[in-house]
Amino acid sequence: SQQGEEDPQALSIQEGENATMNCSYKTSINNLQWYRQNSGRGLVHLILIRSNEREKHSGRLRVTLDTSKKSSSLLITASRAADTASYFCATAPRKGAQKLVFGQGTRLTINP
Amino acid sequence: DSGVTQTPKHLITATGQRVTLRCSPRSGDLSVYWYQQSLDQGLQFLIQYYNGEERAKGNILERFSAQQFPDLHSELNLSSLELGDSALYFCASMPGDSSYNEQFFGPGTRLTVL
């Protein structure tokens, strides 16, 4: 079963605008990761934020984590056509089997 | 290129058949994870191997099995295939055996069961 719920399911914006995607989860986590998937291809790791971190940056990406609300957001600034892809959050549990649990993903379309 | 390779890229077979998917992890990575991605179920964790031993199991059907060999490559065996097994199958690798770091995904094998 999917632990992560992503919102929105689909997002379409103009090139140059910022894109924000949200992820909610249910159990205690060690870390939360964001991955990108271009159509039908393998997932590419974007960023990892640990449970004791609140915000992290990587280039045009900004990730926040609110463990009290069990939620995370991914912000892509100054979007480009090449950012068109599906974005998934994945949680790593604090206890138990060490597996990533993925959300359903947000399909992002950047219009030129 | 993540350094993880999967073969074949595409596989078309009939119901009731058996197939084997192969994954070679990044050099030096001891953990291999298998995932299934389908339209209705999303991305589901199937099973993890670490240095030849099974470490974690997810929503893997009894018709499916996997193993990791001494050279660390892994195979996922799917038998008595059903239409619903049509999906993208990914493997991912990482150095250790926990999810405290990123995983590196292969390009996937697209399985179509007719």
Side-chain angles (χ1 to χ4, degrees), chain B residues 2-79:
Chain B
S2 67
V4 178
T5 60
Q6 288 187 249
T7 56
K9 286 185 179 179
H10 302 278
L11 202 47
I12 301 175
T13 188
T15 54
Q17 295 299 305
R18 172 188 170 94
V19 297
T20 297
L21 314 183
R22 182 188 170 104
C23 168
S24 293
R26 292 187 322 156
S27 177
D29 284 358
L30 299 178
S31 268
V32 171
Y33 295 77
W34 284 98
Y35 295 89
Q36 178 194 60
Q37 186 178 35
S38 61
L39 283 175
D40 54 345
Q41 294 291 323
L43 199 60
Q44 299 269 341
F45 166 74
L46 295 178
I47 197 164
Q48 178 210 358
Y49 278 82
Y50 175 76
N51 203 21
E53 294 188 1
E54 181 185 304
R55 275 299 173 97
K57 234 173 181 177
N59 300 325
I60 187 166
L61 300 171
E62 285 191 9
R63 300 183 286 108
F64 296 1
S65 65
Q67 53 184 328
Q68 186 178 29
F69 295 85
D71 67 352
L72 301 177
H73 90 272
S74 178
E75 292 181 357
L76 179 67
N77 300 296
L78 315 176
S79 62

Side-chain angles (χ1 to χ4, degrees), chain A residues 2 30-31 35 37 50 98, chain B residues 37 41 43 99-100 103:
Chain A
Q2 299 287 336
N30 174 277
N31 67 70
Y35 287 82
Q37 182 181 33
R50 303 195 188 280
Q98 292 303 306
Chain B
Q37 186 178 35
Q41 294 291 323
L43 199 60
S99 295
Y100 293 170
Q103 294 185 9

